[in-house]
Amino acid sequence: MEKAKVYYSDLRTSPTSNLLDKMERLLKRAGIEQLPLKDSFAAIKIHFGEPGNLAYLRPNYAARMATLLRSLGAKPFLTDCNTLYSGRRANAVDHLQSAMENGFNPISAQCQVIIGDGLKGTDYREIPLNGEYCPAPKIGTAIADADIVISMNHFKGHEQAGFGGALKNLGMGCASVGGKLELHCASQPKIDVESCIGCNICVKHCAAVPLNPSRKAEIDYTKCVGCGQCVALCQHDGAVMGAEDTSERLNYKIAEYALAVVMGKPHFHISFIMNVSPECDCWNHNDAAIVPDLGILASADPVALDKACADMVIQAPILHGNNCLATAHEHDDLCGCDKFHLMHPDTDWLAGLRHAEKIGLGTMEYELVKI
């Protein structure tokens, strides 16, 4: 397969060229103007951020994207689907309120904000895929009905997938609530009783986890949906993924869902390597960034884009100071080390890219074009 082109812009600015201007030039150089945008419904898939988390993309970038698409004749809208876990984005009413609190509204974003899978996460289209893991992914209707899909991705670590980039934003982010359940259906965690200290944090965040009389967490599997929230929250390895589940399997499913989102329609992707937090923007907090802000990358190939972003973070030095990697590697810059695996040893992000390449979503072979 021919190498995909991934276009890159650093973050240096001048009085005549701010980051929004640089982003627009990057988009144009990467070919966004070649999309059939006139009179199209263009879904801008973005993560609005869980309130309390400040690592999500600034709405200014989304507004410039919407303005550019509108100038090219499109009808753009910002979108995301509801979450499976309990939180402030689990239904459209709370989700829209959260988006507005984080600065995403029709005034600031210069376009409408639509929750892709409806009020309760039940509004979806099944996309026949005959995938190895997901025969018919359940994609939020507003996204499935869009003519064009544009993903805007905050590139960061992820506690189950290894990192979150274009594939995660598309595959997990565009899944309806039922689709997210399918993605996580083999992911029911368990409690390591010896490690659990009864701190209660999982109980506060999940209705499926009470404390037993010995003040140890227990999982009520009649209520557990396998979202892994308890695993991500636990700081003592008291909640762990079940032996039957793997990060690889989750990433395979994410790749198939991502293919369902873009199958048969034009698509384009842009990733921001900024505020590279260790975990997802779904949490109501964000830990300190692990590497410096590195730049903005864009491509028509989401697989190549994710691989280029991962390579760039792997080659970068860590930020020394108070972050999860620097604490354990005080005298090592970790240039060339897989920082995602260091943060989340049980994950395998490369498996997802390999599967995405196998099913024809894109290629990991890329040429980096600096503008």
Side-chain angles (χ1 to χ4, degrees):
M1 182 180 288
E2 184 180 352
K3 286 185 177 180
K5 282 187 167 57
V6 177
Y7 295 81
Y8 164 72
S9 176
D10 63 30
L11 302 176
R12 297 297 304 274
T13 64
S14 70
T16 58
S17 179
N18 61 36
L19 284 179
L20 296 176
D21 296 332
K22 293 190 78 168
M23 183 192 83
E24 183 168 333
R25 284 199 299 274
L26 175 70
L27 291 168
K28 290 179 176 178
R29 180 70 183 278
I32 199 168
E33 293 173 303
Q34 306 308 311
L35 296 174
L37 288 162
K38 185 171 176 56
D39 298 324
S40 69
F41 289 103
I44 304 172
K45 173 58 183 75
I46 196 167
H47 195 304
F48 299 127
E50 188 77 10
N53 187 308
L54 300 178
Y56 62 87
L57 295 180
R58 291 175 182 246
N60 311 65
Y61 295 113
R64 177 60 72 93
M65 174 69 83
T67 300
L68 173 60
L69 294 177
R70 189 179 295 104
S71 74
L72 297 170
K75 298 177 177 66
F77 62 95
L78 296 184
T79 190
D80 197 5
C81 288
N82 292 309
T83 61
L84 178 62
Y85 59 84
S86 59
R88 293 195 51 200
R89 296 178 303 116
N91 62 77
V93 174
D94 293 338
H95 203 159
L96 285 171
Q97 181 64 34
S98 298
M100 285 190 285
E101 287 181 23
N102 284 343
F104 297 95
N105 58 67
I107 297 174
S108 65
Q110 298 295 299
C111 67
Q112 294 300 315
V113 180
I114 299 173
I115 303 306
D117 58 344
L119 183 62
K120 297 180 180 180
T122 57
D123 191 3
Y124 63 86
R125 298 269 191 270
E126 289 193 359
I127 309 298
L129 192 67
N130 197 29
E132 185 176 349
Y133 300 91
C134 304
K138 302 174 180 66
I139 305 302
T141 297
I143 299 167
D145 286 352
D147 302 307
I148 291 173
V149 175
I150 310 289
S151 73
M152 298 188 72
N153 318 295
H154 171 220
F155 195 81
K156 68 281 183 187
H158 191 274
E159 56 279 5
Q160 289 182 291
F163 67 68
L167 295 191
K168 176 72 167 48
N169 190 23
L170 290 167
M172 185 69 75
C174 294
S176 67
V177 169
K180 289 180 172 70
L181 181 59
E182 180 180 22
L183 288 164
H184 285 292
C185 66
S187 302
Q188 285 189 312
K190 65 179 183 179
I191 300 299
D192 183 338
V193 177
E194 296 299 321
S195 298
C196 176
I197 66 168
C199 70
N200 217 40
I201 190 167
C202 55
V203 176
K204 292 178 180 177
H205 286 81
C206 184
V209 187
L211 288 185
N212 65 23
S214 300
R215 290 201 58 79
K216 298 288 186 177
E218 286 187 349
I219 297 175
D220 181 349
Y221 289 106
T222 66
K223 298 179 180 178
C224 176
V225 295
C227 70
Q229 186 170 228
C230 56
V231 177
L233 288 168
C234 184
Q235 301 299 302
H236 308 283
D237 294 325
V240 295
M241 297 312 300
E244 75 283 356
D245 186 47
T246 64
S247 170
E248 292 91 338
R249 185 180 178 88
L250 175 64
N251 278 322
Y252 297 155
K253 291 182 178 183
I254 288 172
E256 293 187 3
Y257 260 69
L259 177 60
V261 172
V262 302
M263 191 167 60
K265 62 181 64 174
H267 52 97
F268 191 88
H269 315 276
I270 181 167
S271 290
F272 298 74
I273 310 181
M274 303 172 177
N275 294 316
V276 183
S277 50
E279 296 179 345
C280 186
D281 294 344
C282 292
W283 306 115
N284 61 0
H285 62 278
N286 59 284
D287 204 357
I290 59 169
V291 295
D293 292 350
L294 298 177
I296 311 172
L297 294 84
S299 180
D301 186 324
V303 181
L305 180 61
D306 272 0
K307 185 61 164 60
C309 289
D311 288 345
M312 195 168 287
V313 171
I314 287 169
Q315 293 303 319
I318 62 170
L319 286 168
H320 284 288
N322 189 18
N323 68 65
C324 67
L325 287 181
T327 301
H329 303 274
E330 184 177 357
H331 304 295
D332 193 344
D333 286 335
L334 299 182
C335 293
C337 294
D338 186 342
K339 299 165 183 65
F340 308 109
H341 188 69
L342 287 174
M343 291 187 295
H344 306 295
D346 294 330
T347 64
D348 184 359
W349 57 266
L350 192 55
L353 297 190
R354 289 196 187 105
H355 191 62
E357 190 174 59
K358 172 185 170 183
I359 62 179
L361 182 54
T363 176
M364 287 191 285
E365 298 296 322
Y366 65 90
E367 174 190 352
L368 193 65
V369 181
K370 189 176 188 302
I371 69 166

